[in-house]
Amino acid sequence: MPTTSLSGVYALGNFDGLHRGHQAVLRTAIEKARALNTFPAGMTFEPHPRRLFKPEQPHFRLTPASVKHNLLLNYGMQQVHVIPFTPDFAARTAEQFARETLFEEYRVRHIVTGSDFVFGKDRGGNAALLRSWLEPFGIGVTAVEPVLDPGGERYAATRIRECLQQGDARAAAAMLGRAWSIMGEVVHHDGRGGSMGFPTANISLGDYLRPKRGVYAVMACKEDCTYRFPGVANIGVRPTVDGTTELLEFHLFDFSDDLYGQTWWVELIDFLRPEEKFPSLAALKAQISKDCGTARQALQQPLRLA
């Protein structure tokens, strides 16, 4: 439970994806914290409000909770505070959230949020109202304007999701400022890849958005990401072997270590081809060999992240 000793600058938002627009909010929080001689902290909500209000929707998360937490720290937040987004919390008015949560519970010194961020019951609060409610308590509010890409469009999680669902991993990376990745524990499966000469590791897609099914050139690393390995991956159900479970199955080039039980990040770099059913395992093996060659070539082209 937060205490009255907390007095940092809080970057406030859902932050799914931690894209370039979100990163501008975090940078502003860091600058403001430095000016006020205090610490920058991230404040976010779990589960994502959409999961509470629209539970029937397909998986949509770009950054599940643990990944978002890690990224907030990586982008300079010294603390991360997660507010449980329960039905009771969702019923609070925006002004209640400002007064009871931000002022009374967290004793924030300053809030930084996107100018388009809305919150509270019926989405009744915004940055301007937040300022009017908090400034009487000596709490400042900074609203960061949307960041635009070179074409003049704002960076947004919705656009990134659309790119990934279309297989455009490079466009998603340009908006994120990094390759989009899936993190998970490597789980046991049927081992067919190894029997064909291409040992593979499998990760459950969990709560992640489902990108376009198919084969990707990837870079992968263990949880600490001290070294990244090139490879090729398939996202889908593997129809040639009558698969039914959606998985990310990846093969690393020139790599032979046992990965089972380890946590890995797999970065999608380039979409190579759609998932398809082959007439035989021999035909599948031949195609995987081609995919490896194509992936090696694709990985020679750097991502455009600026």
Side-chain angles (χ1 to χ4, degrees), residues 193 196-198 240 273 276 278-294:
M196 292 189 290
F198 299 97
T240 304
R273 63 172 178 83
E276 60 182 298
F278 291 90
S280 65
L281 290 180
L284 173 60
K285 179 179 178 179
Q287 182 60 54
I288 294 174
S289 180
K290 293 179 182 177
D291 293 337
C292 289
T294 305

Side-chain angles (χ1 to χ4, degrees), residues 227-284:
Y227 190 81
R228 296 162 73 242
F229 300 89
V232 64
N234 183 78
I235 295 178
V237 297
R238 307 177 312 145
T240 304
V241 295
D242 296 321
T244 57
T245 302
E246 277 188 308
L247 290 170
L248 185 156
E249 182 179 27
F250 64 101
H251 165 72
L252 301 180
F253 305 142
D254 308 315
F255 187 93
S256 58
D257 292 354
D258 184 1
L259 307 185
Y260 290 120
Q262 299 178 9
T263 297
W264 278 70
W265 295 83
V266 180
E267 301 174 347
L268 305 191
I269 306 299
D270 248 333
F271 181 80
L272 304 182
R273 63 172 178 83
E275 186 176 48
E276 60 182 298
K277 185 171 183 176
F278 291 90
S280 65
L281 290 180
L284 173 60

Side-chain angles (χ1 to χ4, degrees), residues 57-129:
Q57 285 200 344
H59 297 287
F60 64 91
R61 293 293 295 267
L62 296 170
T63 48
S66 62
V67 175
K68 182 171 65 172
H69 185 279
N70 290 339
L71 285 172
L72 284 167
L73 294 174
N74 290 344
Y75 283 123
M77 298 298 98
Q78 294 180 17
Q79 299 178 9
V80 177
H81 297 274
V82 179
I83 297 175
F85 199 83
T86 63
D88 286 344
F89 180 82
R92 285 189 183 186
T93 66
E95 186 171 4
Q96 282 179 307
F97 171 71
R99 295 180 184 274
E100 298 173 9
T101 301
L102 299 180
F103 172 59
E104 296 176 5
E105 187 176 357
Y106 279 86
R107 307 296 294 182
V108 302
R109 186 167 180 184
H110 197 96
I111 286 288
V112 180
T113 192
S115 61
D116 55 352
F117 180 66
V118 292
F119 60 94
K121 183 180 179 182
D122 300 324
R123 299 164 64 88
N126 55 35
L129 287 170

Side-chain angles (χ1 to χ4, degrees), residues 181-216:
S181 59
I182 294 173
M183 184 189 77
E185 180 180 335
V186 175
V187 297
H188 284 277
H189 210 58
D190 56 26
R192 288 183 184 269
S195 67
M196 292 189 290
F198 299 97
T200 58
N202 300 278
I203 291 176
S204 169
L205 295 177
D207 199 30
Y208 278 100
L209 170 87
R210 276 31 175 182
K212 185 174 182 178
R213 286 184 177 180
V215 178
Y216 291 81

